[in-house]
Amino acid sequence: MSFHKLNNYFLLFISFHLSRFTKNPTIWGYPTTLSIEPTTSCNLRCPECPSGLRNFTRPTGMLEYALFQKIIDQSKDSLTYIHLYFQGEPFLNPAFLNMIRYADDSGVFTSTSTNAHYISDKNVDQTIDSGLKQLIVSMDGLSQDVYEEYRIGGNLEKVQKGLTLILKRKREKNTQFPRIILQFLVTGKNEHQIPDLKFWAKDIGVDELQLKTAQIYDFENGSDLIPKNLEYSRYLPTKNGTWKLKKEIRNKCWRMWQGAVMTWDGRMLPCCFDKDGQHIMGKIQKNPLKDIWNNASYNSFRKQLLNDRTQIEICKNCTA
């Protein structure tokens, strides 16, 4: 974190609140965070995920290393954090760990999310030594039958083996990073395992356990994936038998001033909820990242959410 990056963050924060007050978008800085998509490919078939369902309407593929370098080179002066994940399984990209190294060498905090099927003896040391600061491991069950209710095609034993391996090598190397976060997507199928999960996570020594609410596409009609314990649900039942979003949609969104999403093919999207790329603000192959960040399309989108966010489809299932 440099003075320039701190100042950039401060300018974004001030311009965000000014924009809320005036209902007109003002941007006084550049992205401080980015989600960058290594690939749309995935080995699993999760039922609420475009990668798992294989139903993207946007192009699919692998992020090329040279394009990743271009994104980092154009944003590193303001960038404090990147999440090398959007859709797909990052470890399927052969250049993935080299990307982590490049970002770390550029002074950017790096994070990723994985289903952990590809953490092995062959790459565990390279993963730790890459400079990766945070590794989020998705594991949504403590038994194979419960785990594969959502992670269709997954092998829980392989996940737990990979997770145990990287924790063991971290201890042997006596290193703090990457921090290992075990993420449990709470559904109606696995919520009964939460007490045992907390014990298991503490026993193996993860740095943090996150209980994450599940996004359901057609939540209005209910789903057996919605937990009975509404503490872990994004949705609430209504009196007429339908469901509604728990959190009220308000005409603001810090994410639109804080950062953006870069797809594998260089498209800039405003938000990680835009999984199918409905709102393309520009392509980095055609225009510099900083120009896209403050172009007419982006500011038109920001103006819409400041005045009536309920009219933006991707906001209708958002927790922010």
Side-chain angles (χ1 to χ4, degrees):
M1 181 67 76
S2 64
F3 174 79
H4 178 79
K5 291 182 180 183
L6 282 170
N7 185 60
N8 178 75
Y9 187 92
F10 177 75
L11 291 173
L12 289 173
F13 184 78
I14 295 299
S15 60
F16 167 63
H17 286 285
L18 175 63
S19 299
R20 287 187 62 196
F21 178 75
T22 63
K23 298 292 184 180
N24 198 48
T26 299
I27 303 291
W28 286 340
Y30 297 105
T32 186
T33 68
L34 285 178
S35 292
I36 303 175
E37 182 177 59
T39 181
T40 52
S41 299
C42 189
N43 55 307
L44 304 183
R45 300 189 71 92
C46 304
E48 295 292 327
C49 173
S51 292
L53 294 170
R54 287 18 176 206
N55 69 350
F56 285 111
T57 58
R58 64 180 172 95
T60 57
M62 294 268 182
L63 174 64
E64 294 181 357
Y65 184 67
L67 180 56
F68 177 79
Q69 287 179 306
K70 185 172 186 175
I71 295 169
I72 296 299
D73 291 346
Q74 291 190 16
S75 60
K76 64 183 179 182
D77 290 342
S78 62
L79 204 58
T80 60
Y81 173 96
I82 63 166
H83 190 50
L84 266 89
Y85 173 79
F86 178 37
Q87 299 298 296
E89 168 51 46
F91 278 87
L92 287 174
N93 189 315
F96 172 62
L97 293 176
N98 290 330
M99 294 175 186
I100 293 285
R101 169 58 64 193
Y102 189 81
D104 184 66
D105 288 344
S106 298
V108 183
F109 184 98
T110 54
S111 173
T112 194
S113 298
T114 178
N115 60 47
H117 282 74
Y118 298 98
I119 299 174
S120 65
D121 289 315
K122 293 181 179 179
N123 65 16
V124 65
D125 286 333
Q126 187 183 357
T127 300
I128 294 171
D129 297 338
S130 67
L132 182 65
K133 296 297 186 291
Q134 181 171 273
L135 179 67
I136 301 170
V137 174
S138 298
M139 192 191 83
D140 308 327
L142 274 180
S143 58
Q144 178 63 29
D145 61 329
V146 172
Y147 174 77
E148 65 184 354
E149 284 278 359
Y150 189 82
R151 300 288 169 177
I152 297 171
N155 184 316
L156 179 62
E157 183 180 0
K158 185 176 287 189
V159 173
Q160 292 180 332
K161 184 178 178 181
L163 180 57
T164 302
L165 174 63
I166 196 165
L167 288 167
K168 176 176 177 288
R169 292 298 291 139
K170 265 188 67 181
R171 289 192 293 268
E172 292 171 352
K173 287 174 171 285
N174 193 29
T175 182
Q176 181 182 359
F177 298 112
R179 291 186 73 254
I180 308 298
I181 297 176
L182 179 61
Q183 189 175 87
F184 190 85
L185 189 69
V186 182
T187 71
K189 309 274 191 177
N190 65 16
E191 60 185 316
H192 64 284
Q193 293 190 331
I194 291 176
D196 290 338
L197 171 74
K198 291 179 178 179
F199 178 82
W200 187 82
K202 184 177 181 180
D203 185 56
I204 66 168
V206 296
D207 295 295
E208 183 181 343
L209 171 64
Q210 289 182 352
L211 300 177
K212 185 179 179 182
T213 59
Q215 176 185 342
I216 313 297
Y217 280 114
D218 297 318
F219 64 85
E220 292 89 350
N221 297 316
S223 168
D224 55 6
L225 291 175
I226 299 177
K228 294 181 177 62
N229 185 344
L230 296 181
E231 176 187 353
Y232 302 116
S233 172
R234 295 187 187 187
Y235 316 102
L236 292 174
T238 65
K239 292 180 180 179
N240 63 8
T242 61
W243 290 77
K244 67 176 183 178
L245 196 65
K246 182 187 290 186
K247 195 165 185 178
E248 180 186 358
I249 298 176
R250 302 176 65 187
N251 293 334
K252 63 172 186 173
C253 185
W254 166 235
R255 291 179 182 178
M256 295 306 103
W257 276 255
Q258 179 191 45
V261 173
M262 300 298 302
T263 63
W264 70 273
D265 56 350
R267 303 166 188 235
M268 181 180 276
L269 309 179
C271 175
C272 61
F273 276 82
D274 191 9
K275 294 179 171 61
D276 224 19
Q278 300 172 26
H279 302 278
I280 302 168
M281 300 304 164
K283 288 195 72 172
I284 197 170
Q285 295 94 328
K286 295 181 179 180
N287 299 104
L289 185 146
K290 290 182 178 181
D291 289 353
I292 300 171
W293 176 246
N294 208 5
N295 68 17
S297 296
Y298 223 138
N299 284 324
S300 176
F301 186 86
R302 292 184 181 108
K303 187 176 180 65
Q304 175 65 59
L305 70 87
L306 288 170
N307 288 274
D308 188 2
R309 193 175 164 210
T310 62
Q311 298 304 306
I312 302 175
E313 190 65 33
I314 62 171
C315 294
K316 294 180 180 179
N317 209 342
C318 180
T319 56

